[in-house]
Amino acid sequence: MESPERPGRRGRTAALIAGTAGLGVVAGLCTGYVVQAGRPPTRLPSLSQPVVPQGKGTVEPLSAADDRRVKTDGDLRKLLLKRPKGARATDFGSADGWMDLADYASAFKNPTGAFKDELKSEFRRAAQTTWQTGTYDVEIRLVQYHQVSAPGAAKHVEEQRYWAERDPDTGSSPIPGTGDGMVFVHRTPKAESGYLPVYSAEALASRGDIYMDIWITDTKPIPENEIMELAKRQVAQL
């Protein structure tokens, strides 16, 4: 999936306009100097300024419990939900643990477009966990962004919500305790010749510089409370 186009670089026309404006400023300054040279000297005001007293006291740093970055700048894998007892790792996609950008982009329908989009969004790192119980598969990914020039995590939620909402026969509900979190239950299964129909549900949310993405797939319809419970537990880990 390729995100909507972002604003491009400033064009040559705008640069020429900026250059012309600069020449106008220089011409104006030259005229000003000529006029000023013909006037008698004027006494300048005093350069002294009132003294501003320096603040006293010290600023207490945030404790480890209150400083969220102490948690999110550590091992991202430790923020993922633990695999339930009796469940096993799935045999599709990348293995549990760290994902590089190529691995993450390969999960999209247009990997090349996704790769470029993630670079623009200042992708930092990603981690995932998966498990399977019978026909029930779970895939959870946490993606972290540098967010130097743009809020990459929140932007990613907005983009994926757009595509999830376009899928017909899809129910949705907000995730409590999040500003942008949503769960989507796709009621119409995906069917391919020779395979059982597959139902899916997904959850999206951002917390600071981290984007959360959860998928559940099964050969039978998925109740909303199942994806919602997973989403609430994973958000609480962040």
Side-chain angles (χ1 to χ4, degrees):
M1 193 263 324
E2 218 171 351
S3 67
E5 286 188 0
R6 292 177 175 82
R9 293 178 60 186
R10 186 174 65 163
R12 178 173 173 80
T13 302
L16 289 174
I17 293 174
T20 304
L23 290 175
V25 171
V26 172
L29 286 174
C30 292
T31 302
Y33 284 130
V34 172
V35 173
Q36 182 65 28
R39 294 176 178 173
T42 304
R43 182 184 178 87
L44 295 175
S46 173
L47 296 178
S48 63
Q49 299 292 330
V51 178
V52 179
Q54 184 176 0
K56 297 182 179 180
T58 58
V59 178
E60 291 293 331
L62 291 173
S63 67
D66 295 327
D67 190 349
R68 183 179 295 163
R69 297 207 64 164
V70 170
K71 177 182 288 188
T72 59
D73 278 349
D75 192 335
L76 194 61
R77 297 170 297 177
K78 294 182 179 179
L79 298 182
L80 290 161
L81 289 179
K82 302 299 182 185
R83 186 183 303 155
K85 291 184 179 179
R88 62 186 183 279
T90 58
D91 55 359
F92 63 89
S94 302
D96 284 13
W98 293 113
M99 301 181 73
D100 60 27
L101 180 51
D103 284 336
Y104 180 62
S106 68
F108 292 82
K109 293 181 180 179
N110 181 0
T112 302
F115 190 94
K116 294 177 181 178
D117 184 58
E118 289 299 312
L119 285 177
K120 292 179 182 178
S121 297
E122 300 174 344
F123 175 94
R124 178 181 174 187
R125 57 182 182 166
Q128 80 164 1
T129 185
T130 65
W131 66 78
Q132 184 180 50
T133 306
T135 59
Y136 183 93
D137 289 307
V138 173
E139 193 171 4
I140 303 176
R141 290 188 180 126
L142 300 179
V143 186
Q144 193 167 29
Y145 296 89
H146 289 289
Q147 302 204 144
V148 174
S149 59
K155 175 185 172 298
H156 211 52
V157 171
E158 182 181 354
E159 290 174 356
Q160 296 308 309
R161 281 182 60 174
Y162 168 79
W163 292 108
E165 290 167 351
R166 290 186 65 184
D167 203 359
D169 197 21
T170 295
S172 62
S173 294
I175 302 173
T178 66
D180 57 3
M182 295 287 293
V183 298
F184 298 92
V185 178
H186 305 290
R187 303 188 183 95
T188 301
K190 305 295 183 183
E192 293 184 19
S193 179
Y195 294 90
L196 291 172
V198 176
Y199 294 86
S200 63
E202 58 183 303
L204 313 166
S206 67
R207 181 61 63 89
D209 57 358
I210 294 179
Y211 163 70
M212 177 197 81
D213 184 9
I214 302 176
W215 279 88
I216 297 178
T217 56
D218 202 343
T219 55
K220 55 182 180 294
I222 301 167
E224 183 183 285
N225 66 306
E226 289 190 19
I227 185 71
M228 181 65 78
E229 181 62 24
L230 269 181
K232 290 193 291 187
R233 285 171 52 206
Q234 182 60 79
V235 167
Q237 287 282 93
L238 303 179

